[in-house]
Amino acid sequence: MLVCALAFRALSAIVALFAVLAFPLDHSVPSESTFWGPPSPFWDAMVRHDSGWYLDIARRGYDMSGAMAGGRSNIAFAPVYPLLMRYVGRILGRSPGDFYLGGVIVSWLSFALAMVALSRLAALDLPPPRAERAALLTAIFPFAFFFGAVYTESTFLLFTVLAFYAFRTRRWAMGGVCGAVATATRVTGILMLPSLAWIVWRSVGRAAPADGVAPAARPPARERAAAAVALLAAAGGFAAYCAFVYRESGDPFLWAKALTRWGAGYHPGGSPWGAPAALVRALVTRPYVYLTTDPMAVYDTLYGVVALLFVAATPFVWRRFGAAYGLFMALNLYVPLSSGAFEGLGRYCSVLFPAFIWLASIRSRRLSNALLIAFALIYTLGLSLFATGRPLF
């Protein structure tokens, strides 16, 4: 599994290279957003859009001044991934390309380990062949190309899956540590806590964890205490980041304010149905005009349709695998959809692993194979768009 995952990442990088060579870039790329300085069709395809912000943190650390002045700032990005990028990059050298290469190594290795961890987690509910299919579906999901770029997705997926696996198998110390890393990798990681709390409530005091391999027996009170500490520890990554921001700026949520200063702004808390309803109305009443006149229509359609399919899948996931997985999906869909914008929804869905476990549970071989083919086709399209600088963020 590990070798196959790394081979898949290498194959994807080659496909991205051919896309860059065959199709024009959407816009000229500034030198600071290229891998080695001079343009490199192979390497540059992995460092689009937000990658430059992670490079800035890895090289120079956080700068609060932009956010405190009311503008953009790298404080909007949580620390785990850029710090890993920094330390791996420093082993290689001190040039920007070395740090970018460190980011690629972290992303690729995290992806490979995440596929192994996901297959183990899925095996708690599915037979081994279907558990492996869950990892395959995750790898070729239409927006899974982010797993190979200098982005946080692969690292976040790895530690999120490990946290769920540890909680489901009552490995509380491991779960607390992995949960803390996940919540310090992306601030939305805090949304996993209700799911982890549900797992604790449902499992503590019962005979054995889901895989039937219990750690050393503990008295119920002691296990409840260990589980509570694990939950607090999982929240600790997010809390530590807020504490750091408070120490530097006096505002523990300055990172959230910085997030609102990109594009039209990112303002969760509104109606989650506004943007999807507008998209469905446009596609039903005037699809051709919408897709051919609005410059963001194709990208919003890709994002919006995927998000709606995940919303539709959430009740089935909940019914099949329980409230922990259902809550994880519902909360992680509600927050971006409530912002009123589709930007980023593809990669947000790419880490919703319960959906892929549910899809892997489909018994129809014909339907399952059709799904794999559809995923692979759209994955190639998405990878090509991303590699050539199109606005897939």
Side-chain angles (χ1 to χ4, degrees):
M1 175 73 74
L2 192 72
V3 174
C4 289
L6 290 173
F8 180 75
R9 289 268 57 89
L11 178 61
S12 293
I14 294 171
V15 172
L17 169 64
F18 276 90
V20 173
L21 294 176
F23 307 115
L25 293 176
D26 183 62
H27 56 274
S28 59
V29 180
S31 59
E32 62 269 19
S33 296
T34 60
F35 208 102
W36 300 110
S40 172
F42 178 78
W43 294 105
D44 291 353
M46 305 178 206
V47 291
R48 302 301 187 201
H49 310 306
D50 287 348
S51 300
W53 291 100
Y54 296 117
L55 174 67
D56 187 52
I57 299 168
R59 292 185 67 197
R60 303 182 182 91
Y62 282 107
D63 180 2
M64 310 280 176
S65 59
M68 295 176 72
R72 294 183 181 183
S73 167
N74 61 17
I75 198 65
F77 301 89
V80 165
Y81 181 77
L83 288 179
L84 290 173
M85 186 175 167
R86 169 188 292 179
Y87 296 128
V88 175
R90 282 181 175 173
I91 296 172
L92 306 172
R94 295 301 178 101
S95 72
D98 293 319
F99 289 105
Y100 267 146
L101 184 56
V104 171
I105 292 172
V106 171
S107 291
W108 285 31
L109 184 58
S110 294
F111 168 75
L113 293 173
M115 294 302 97
V116 175
L118 180 56
S119 64
R120 292 289 300 275
L121 177 62
L124 300 181
D125 301 297
L126 303 175
R130 290 183 184 170
E132 292 178 359
R133 184 174 287 263
L136 176 60
L137 287 166
T138 305
I140 64 171
F141 174 64
F143 291 94
F145 52 82
F146 281 104
F147 293 137
V150 178
Y151 267 73
T152 62
E153 267 57 41
S154 56
T155 305
F156 179 74
L157 177 64
L158 170 62
F159 287 101
T160 299
V161 169
L162 286 174
F164 272 83
Y165 179 79
F167 270 77
R168 288 196 60 189
T169 57
R170 301 183 190 176
R171 293 170 170 88
W172 306 120
M174 173 185 168
V177 171
C178 291
V181 176
T183 59
T185 301
R186 278 189 8 196
V187 292
T188 52
I190 200 73
L191 298 175
M192 77 172 72
L193 291 183
S195 296
L196 298 182
W198 181 270
I199 292 172
V200 169
W201 182 73
R202 293 288 293 173
S203 65
V204 169
R206 298 198 174 193
D211 65 350
V213 181
R218 303 185 187 94
R222 186 174 177 183
E223 185 165 24
R224 281 194 292 270
V229 170
L231 278 173
L232 289 174
F238 172 80
Y241 183 51
C242 291
F244 165 75
V245 175
Y246 175 76
R247 188 190 71 183
E248 298 295 317
S249 68
D251 182 354
F253 301 110
L254 184 63
W255 56 267
K257 296 174 182 175
L259 279 172
T260 67
R261 295 160 188 164
W262 263 262
Y266 191 72
H267 304 276
S271 168
W273 301 112
L279 174 66
V280 171
R281 186 164 54 249
L283 291 175
V284 170
T285 60
R286 50 188 184 91
Y288 184 79
V289 173
Y290 171 65
L291 291 170
T292 57
T293 57
D294 187 329
M296 286 299 296
V298 170
Y299 310 106
D300 282 349
T301 299
L302 287 172
Y303 282 142
V305 169
V306 166
L308 287 173
L309 290 173
F310 272 68
V311 169
T314 299
F316 296 97
V317 172
W318 194 308
R319 182 177 179 180
R320 175 69 172 80
F321 297 106
Y325 283 2
L327 279 171
F328 181 74
M329 287 193 60
L331 291 174
N332 278 278
L333 287 166
Y334 167 75
V335 170
L337 284 172
S338 69
S339 71
F342 289 117
E343 183 177 309
L345 267 164
R347 62 188 179 91
Y348 300 152
C349 289
S350 71
V351 298
L352 298 184
F353 65 87
F356 303 111
I357 297 176
W358 172 67
L359 290 173
S361 70
I362 294 174
R363 295 181 180 275
S364 169
R365 181 173 294 275
R366 182 174 298 178
L367 180 57
S368 185
N369 289 339
L371 187 64
L372 288 171
I373 293 170
F375 271 24
L377 289 172
I378 306 173
Y379 174 88
T380 305
L381 171 64
L383 174 62
S384 299
L385 292 171
F386 179 79
T388 53
R390 267 62 184 182
L392 290 178
F393 302 108

